[in-house]
Amino acid sequence: MFKEITTYKVDKEMEKMESLIVKSNKTSVTNQITIPIDAKEMLTTEEYIQKAVNEAVLPATRHALSQFDTDGTLIQVSQKKHTGKGQISKTYQCPFGEFELCRHVYQRTEGGKTHCPLDKDACVIIFSTPKFAKMASSRYTCGSSRQVQRDLKANHSRIISGNYIRDISQSAGKLSETVTRDYCPEAEMEEVSSTGISLDSTCMFMRQDGWRQAVAGSMNYYDESGERLYTVYVANSPEYGKETFYKSFQKEIEEVRKRFRGKRLVGVADGATDNRKFLEATVGIQVLDFFMPANIFPKHPGQHLNVDRIEMNGLLRHVTD
């Protein structure tokens, strides 16, 4: 939803923010900053500096984002004409704070979903600029939303909700699935001799959904001497079963096949039946992870394990070989 605000409020916000801008044009912004100094405490001075820098670059960010707006004239979206509804205000989040910006919004004559060229062209993700979305989502991959909140508040003086962090991260993850990547950016195709494909999983108890499978996989590129050149990691949110992960991982593997056609593919996994069967249909060579059976068998000497006899014999042959 777009938030309507009065002209008076917009004008006051613009006056406050643009008062820091000395000069601006389409390619640059010049700001003037006044920073108070505390001669007794350096930490206090650093807090002043951070606040002053945030306040100074916030209007610069606002000005830069406004350059992606249109002039309000008729546009075409998916070969259909859209007319302007005028400039509607929206609150944006960026690394230095939040600001309001009036930008043109469009809609088809018969109604329906609105379209904002500025949001699309500037790659805005749920009211967030690309840099702030990157900051929040990358931190969220390494911890909880509360940890991200503490980090952003302590190091960037940014206070946002945990739900917003989760929403940004989810949208950024969906967007990344549509991006075509260079599957070995740090090595030339001629350098790659083989690719090792591995995966493993564990069970996680989700508070709302109960027990779910968390699966991760990797593709490791090696040269002729066996030195690792580069690694691509693939993972999905915990799910019931592994089907979603298998589909996304298979898609990644097919891209590797196209890029490194004719190169050797080697699968590495433990003795889990589903992982082994997935690799059987994907790679020509399989290597059993030694540590799994090596840790299980000594703990059960002479005891019957609840594993198919043929499968157990196959595992033992891999271990003893």
Side-chain angles (χ1 to χ4, degrees), residues 271 273 297 304-312 315:
T273 304
F297 296 151
H304 173 72
L305 298 181
N306 188 21
V307 182
D308 183 83
R309 184 180 298 277
I310 298 177
E311 182 180 344
M312 178 62 75
L315 289 174

Side-chain angles (χ1 to χ4, degrees), residues 66-104:
S66 69
Q67 301 306 302
F68 290 88
D69 200 8
T70 63
D71 57 5
T73 56
L74 186 74
I75 64 171
Q76 282 198 343
V77 181
S78 301
Q79 299 182 345
K80 295 180 180 180
K81 293 182 180 180
H82 284 59
T83 56
K85 293 170 62 65
Q87 287 188 312
I88 299 178
S89 178
K90 182 176 180 179
T91 301
Y92 290 91
Q93 302 291 334
C94 76
F96 318 106
E98 66 177 33
F99 59 89
E100 290 180 348
L101 176 66
C102 289
R103 73 280 189 273
H104 287 96

Side-chain angles (χ1 to χ4, degrees), residues 91-230:
T91 301
Y92 290 91
Q93 302 291 334
C94 76
F96 318 106
E98 66 177 33
F99 59 89
E100 290 180 348
L101 176 66
C102 289
R103 73 280 189 273
H104 287 96
V105 175
Y106 293 80
Q107 191 177 37
R108 294 177 61 184
T109 307
E110 58 269 28
K113 186 178 180 181
T114 57
H115 176 77
C116 178
L118 180 146
D119 287 358
K120 180 179 182 298
D121 295 340
C123 300
V124 171
I125 301 177
I126 312 183
F127 314 152
S128 172
T129 61
K131 177 64 176 178
F132 190 62
K134 181 180 179 181
M135 288 171 55
S137 59
S138 62
R139 285 166 169 78
Y140 189 54
T141 61
C142 303
S144 66
S145 60
R146 289 186 179 181
Q147 289 175 307
V148 179
Q149 284 179 299
R150 287 194 292 266
D151 180 38
L152 291 175
K153 181 179 179 180
N155 299 313
H156 301 278
S157 298
R158 293 292 285 113
I159 300 176
I160 58 175
S161 72
N163 288 336
Y164 186 58
I165 292 170
R166 288 188 287 270
D167 290 343
I168 293 175
S169 302
Q170 186 176 24
S171 296
K174 290 180 179 179
L175 183 63
S176 68
E177 294 178 358
T178 65
V179 177
T180 302
R181 296 193 304 273
D182 185 344
Y183 281 81
C184 195
E186 296 184 2
E188 297 294 333
M189 187 167 62
E190 293 75 16
E191 294 182 81
V192 177
S193 175
S194 60
T195 303
I197 299 174
S198 62
L199 69 160
D200 201 358
S201 63
T202 188
C203 290
M204 298 179 65
F205 185 79
M206 313 298 289
R207 186 170 62 179
Q208 295 180 344
D209 302 325
W211 289 99
R212 291 292 183 267
Q213 291 259 23
V215 194
S218 66
M219 290 175 285
N220 303 276
Y221 304 98
Y222 298 91
D223 62 15
E224 191 65 38
S225 64
E227 289 293 324
R228 186 178 65 86
L229 301 171
Y230 193 73

